[in-house]
Every structure is written in structure tokens, then in C-alpha cells.
Amino acid sequence: MTVGIIRFALNGWIEEMYLKPGFFFTYAGFEWVQPFSPLLMYAWFAFSGIAALFIALGLYYRFSTILFFITFTYIELIDKSNYLNHYYFISIVAFLMIFLPANRYFSLDTYRNPALEIEKIPAWMINSLKLQLGIVYFYAGIAKLNYDWLINAMPLKIWLPANAGWPVIGSLFDEEWVAYLFSWSGAIYDLMIPFLLLSARFRPVAYFAVIVFHVLTWILFPIGMFPYVMILLTLIFFSPSFHLKIIGFLKNLLPVNNVKAFSTPQAFTAKKLILFVFCLHFFIQVLLPLRYLLFPGKLFWTEQGYRFSWRVMLMEKAGTAFFYVTDPVSGGTDEISICDYLTTNQEKMMCTQPDMILQFAHFLKKEYQKKGIADPIVKVESYATLNGSGSRLYIDPNVNLSALSDNHFSTRTWVLPFER
């Protein structure tokens, strides 16, 4: 993650995503999360990167995990237009690691204080990370069991031909059967890989599949450091002896202390609290991806319950939106120049996500209230296309969005139904 944060800064994304915009799409309940001044924003990223490095080294581990979780999650909460499942996953794992004694063996903390060193921890602590990875894979697989993915091979049928320029095998990406092969094998991979990794017999083959899958996705799609994170984190499925062999090799290169026995009465008390926190965490993790079942309509269209549910790269969606603000007293109407308020990426994300369209309408309401219009009418003419379906009206153009409440628990009746 340290490398990822350095990469983020060098690409100018801190400026582009967190300093340049004049408006941010905040999450419900986290409206108070706002970017800092430019200097403090860069410092915030630096703190996050240094904390990630210290976690890897096992140096001031507890403080570093808390600092990384807070700084990284805060960054991701600033603007939902930057949401990625990958970032959500990193925040979750960072949260779990706060409670795990990952610094109690072969770390700089134990080098500084050998009394911290232990050789055994409860199995459920290791298994918690396996379970978190298993939830991600399994729900990602369940999400692929839909008509577009399996029967139409969408959106891979759209995405793969973009790589037809590859040498030697590039022409294959123009073949329709390759899109179907990738779709079906991707679904089978996600559904089966956590179970294969649990089996000592199939683990080597399964891990080879993990490497092939993530390297291939890294080559085909711009998803940053995530493939490397998943390849390395999946090593948690391997046996203690496997990890001890690696550590043993490194021990020959580095000065480390001998292993000592584990467990004190204080640790037993702490384990009960941690166990409770973990049970609550996984209870939420199991239920949260299923909340979409509470809402009618096509999930990929309404996007109610889409985020935080491990639906990874499942759709090709694009849209446009034209906002109009009317003064009900004078009857005058302004067409909004979106680029005056949003960056290109924010506009792109907003045009396909109804809650962000509504949020921007509320922002426009406040802007025009500042200009002396007490109750402006905000409407949108928006069009979207989903998995090659063709462009169609997305939001009811007759609805005054400024009068709607941003209630995430009620059905978005102002989103027009998706019909093929």
C-alpha cells in the first residue's frame, strides 16, 4: 500500500480527486468528511503511506494499523465518485488487522522488545482473514450469476476487443467465444477458489490459478495495485510451516530473536472482546451485500444496494445528464454547465448513479438559494446505456429532484424502469 500511495501522488491524483473539485459526493452520515487544505491533504496521504510501511515492518504496529485505517478510510469517504471495491476491501482488512497480533513474531516490534514475541495465536484469528477473502470471492461469484454475464457475455464482449492489438494472441479478443470463456471461467473461479484454497491437496493449483487470474486482470484492465494485494494476501491460506520456511530463510539474512511461548491472562480477556468485534463485523459483511433484495428493479440500473457488495467489474454503463433549474416565481430556466462544478471523472460517475444525480440536484438547489431563489425547481434529462443496451431515459425528467429526500431506505421511484 505504501507503493500504491506513492504511485497515487506521483500520478497527480491527489490534486485531481481531492483538491481540484469544488463539490464532493459525500456518503450518507459522513457529510462531515471533507478534504483538508492542500498541504495537510498531502501530509495525510504521507501519514497513510508511512503507516502502511510500518505495518509491513511490524513497527509500532498497533498505532500504525489504527493510523492507516483512519487515514485511508477517511480519504475514501471524501467522495463516492472515487469508490472502488478494492479500496473498500483495503479498509476492511486494515480494520481487522488492528485487532490481530501480526507484529508478535518476526517484526521490528519484537526486535525492539523480545518479550512481545509469541509463536501461537488462536486459529480463528488466521481464519478471520481467510473468511474475509472467501466472502469477497464468493459474493463476487454469486454476482456473476446473471443473464448479462453468463448468457450475453457482457460486458466482456465489449471490453476484450479493446485488447485486440496485442501481439500474437490479440486477435483472439475479437472472438465472441473468448468473451464467453472469460465470463464463465471468471464465475466458476470466484465461486470455487476459496474452497479450493482451504484444501491442502488443491491449494498449490488453486494459488497458481489466483496468480494467473490476477495477473491477467492487471494486464487487461487498469485496476492498480489490487492484483498484487490479492496475490500476496491469499498466502494466508497456506500452512504455518510454509510461512515458517520463508521466515527461516529471511532469518538467515537478518538478526532476529528466538521464538517464545504464547499467552497471558491479559491476552485471554482481550480475545473475548476481539471475538465479539469480529463476529459483529462478519455478521454485517454477510448481510450487507444482500440488501439489494429489499428493492425492486434491475440492480445494475437502480444501483440500490450496489456498493459494498463485491460486484466487481460486472457492467459497462455510460450516461449523460442535462440539469435545468427553474425559478418558480419568474418562470426563468437555466441549463447548468456541469463542468463548472464537477471534474470529468465526477461527471462521468454521477451520470450513471441515481443517488449522485439526486445529490447534485440538492447541491444546485442550495446554489440557487444563495442567489435569492427560495425554492428552485431542479430537473434532469438524463440518458444511460447498460451493457450495450442502447441509450434510454434514466431519470424521470418531470420530477423536481430538489423536492425529493435522499432516503436510502425507500425505493427510487423517480428512476425509470429498465426495459430491453
Side-chain angles (χ1 to χ4, degrees), residues 288-305:
L288 198 60
L290 301 176
R291 70 191 189 284
Y292 77 96
L293 295 172
L294 299 174
F295 307 104
K298 189 177 178 65
L299 171 63
F300 293 172
W301 189 248
T302 65
E303 300 210 15
Q304 280 197 284

Side-chain angles (χ1 to χ4, degrees), residues 282-357:
F282 285 111
F283 178 73
I284 295 171
Q285 283 296 306
V286 169
L287 289 183
L288 198 60
L290 301 176
R291 70 191 189 284
Y292 77 96
L293 295 172
L294 299 174
F295 307 104
K298 189 177 178 65
L299 171 63
F300 293 172
W301 189 248
T302 65
E303 300 210 15
Q304 280 197 284
Y306 190 86
R307 297 189 193 96
F308 312 114
S309 58
W310 311 120
R311 290 178 167 78
V312 184
M313 302 187 72
L314 286 178
M315 61 178 178
E316 172 64 29
K317 198 174 180 183
T320 57
F322 306 93
F323 284 84
Y324 302 95
V325 180
T326 300
D327 181 349
V329 177
S330 68
T333 298
D334 287 346
E335 180 176 349
I336 302 302
S337 175
I338 296 177
C339 63
D340 289 345
Y341 301 100
L342 305 180
T343 63
T344 302
N345 182 63
Q346 285 180 309
E347 181 179 355
K348 176 185 174 185
M349 294 294 109
M350 178 197 67
C351 288
T352 59
Q353 299 180 52
D355 64 327
M356 293 172 66
I357 289 176

Side-chain angles (χ1 to χ4, degrees), residues 95-96 99 124 131-132 135 272-288:
F95 172 75
L96 294 177
F99 304 96
W124 62 263
L131 177 59
Q132 185 61 65
I135 288 173
K272 282 186 174 178
L273 175 62
I274 296 171
L275 193 56
F276 170 76
V277 172
F278 275 41
C279 287
L280 180 61
H281 168 83
F282 285 111
F283 178 73
I284 295 171
Q285 283 296 306
V286 169
L287 289 183
L288 198 60

Side-chain angles (χ1 to χ4, degrees), residues 233-247:
L233 189 55
T234 303
L235 289 172
I236 195 71
F237 282 90
F238 282 79
S239 66
S241 61
F242 170 83
H243 293 278
L244 286 173
K245 286 180 182 176
I246 297 175
I247 292 174

